[in-house]
Amino acid sequence: MPIVKYPRAVEPRWHEWDEKAQKCGLRHTVYAVNGDQYTGEWLDNLKHGKGTQIWKHTGAIYSGDWKFGKRDGYGSYSIPDPVTKEYKKVYTGWWKNDRKCGYGTMFYPSGEHYEGEWSGGLRSGWGRMCYGDGSIYEGQWLADQPGGQGMLCLPNENRYEGGWKDGKKHGPGRFFYLDKGQLLEGIWVADIPKCGIMIDFGRDEAPAPTQYPIPKV
């Protein structure tokens, strides 16, 4: 009786190639078609876990946590200096869904920096901002601007304590003119004091007090 031999079923080569191409677990550097590169952990072909991404076009680098292809967790984002090519840290802190979210520190090109809470990539919550002119704002933020209760200290040590809205003094507040030895307590609207009471405050220690004290009523 003749023996019939059937050809062995061979799995297509592309199945093998596709299986090898699946990214899961720790991998060495993987390059994208646009030149970006990523070194770190993967899950189901998505960046997931610890990893470092370098963007070819800008040279920016992110090193930290990833979740399903997006920055999520704690990480640092840096960019190269256009002259020295040395990396300068831009942001260090927490991320969620590829945006700054939670507590973090942001360094601006002008030398200013912010340390505090973020939400959806914007300053939101409690934070401290150091400006280039030496002023410091510490208090509540909303939609990337001072909003709520906060204190602004000026370079000459004068300061405002009170309400804020859309980045401007708004609502009840007190402005300490320590250089003149006076205190204004009143109501502000869009950075302008609309009404209030001015009294002497620390006049004896003021570096440039007014010529005459404010009469007591």
Side-chain angles (χ1 to χ4, degrees):
M1 181 177 179
I3 298 175
V4 179
K5 293 185 177 180
Y6 295 96
R8 181 184 299 176
V10 179
E11 195 172 88
R13 293 295 298 273
W14 67 266
H15 282 187
E16 180 184 353
W17 297 336
D18 185 63
E19 184 177 347
K20 289 182 177 180
Q22 297 300 308
K23 295 181 282 293
C24 191
L26 181 62
R27 286 255 177 166
H28 294 297
T29 303
V30 175
Y31 293 86
V33 293
N34 62 359
D36 295 348
Q37 60 186 74
Y38 172 81
T39 305
E41 297 175 305
W42 297 78
L43 179 65
D44 296 333
N45 286 322
L46 295 173
K47 306 178 187 81
H48 191 89
K50 300 287 185 182
T52 300
Q53 167 94 14
I54 301 177
W55 287 267
K56 181 181 179 181
H57 180 66
T58 61
I61 181 172
Y62 169 82
S63 182
D65 297 324
W66 296 79
K67 188 175 182 181
F68 300 117
K70 296 182 178 181
R71 291 169 289 187
D72 200 300
Y74 190 85
S76 296
Y77 179 79
S78 305
I79 59 174
D81 186 278
V83 179
T84 65
K85 304 303 180 183
E86 294 182 358
Y87 276 93
K88 298 188 300 182
K89 195 167 291 185
V90 175
Y91 175 79
T92 298
W94 293 91
W95 302 72
K96 186 175 182 180
N97 200 28
D98 224 28
R99 294 184 177 184
K100 307 175 193 73
C101 188
Y103 195 88
T105 303
M106 180 84 173
F107 301 91
Y108 297 88
S110 58
E112 301 176 341
H113 70 273
Y114 168 84
E115 182 178 359
E117 296 175 308
W118 297 77
S119 180
L122 302 176
R123 292 168 289 187
S124 187
W126 191 267
R128 175 186 174 94
M129 180 75 186
C130 297
Y131 296 96
D133 64 355
S135 301
I136 299 175
Y137 171 82
E138 186 169 1
Q140 294 176 306
W141 292 75
L142 182 63
D144 220 35
Q145 297 187 87
Q149 293 295 310
M151 177 177 67
L152 176 67
C153 296
L154 302 177
N156 62 0
E157 297 186 354
N158 289 350
R159 71 177 187 271
Y160 168 81
E161 300 175 359
W164 294 80
K165 183 180 179 181
D166 299 329
K168 297 180 179 180
K169 306 176 193 70
H170 194 90
R174 298 188 298 172
F175 200 110
F176 295 83
Y177 295 92
L178 299 182
D179 57 340
K180 299 178 181 179
Q182 294 179 333
L183 165 63
L184 172 62
E185 185 168 1
I187 304 295
W188 272 257
V189 176
D191 247 4
I192 300 174
K194 292 296 185 177
C195 63
I197 299 175
M198 179 80 81
I199 62 173
D200 286 324
F201 181 86
R203 178 181 172 82
D204 295 337
E205 294 80 24
T210 56
Q211 185 175 1
Y212 301 104
I214 298 175
K216 294 183 179 180
V217 179

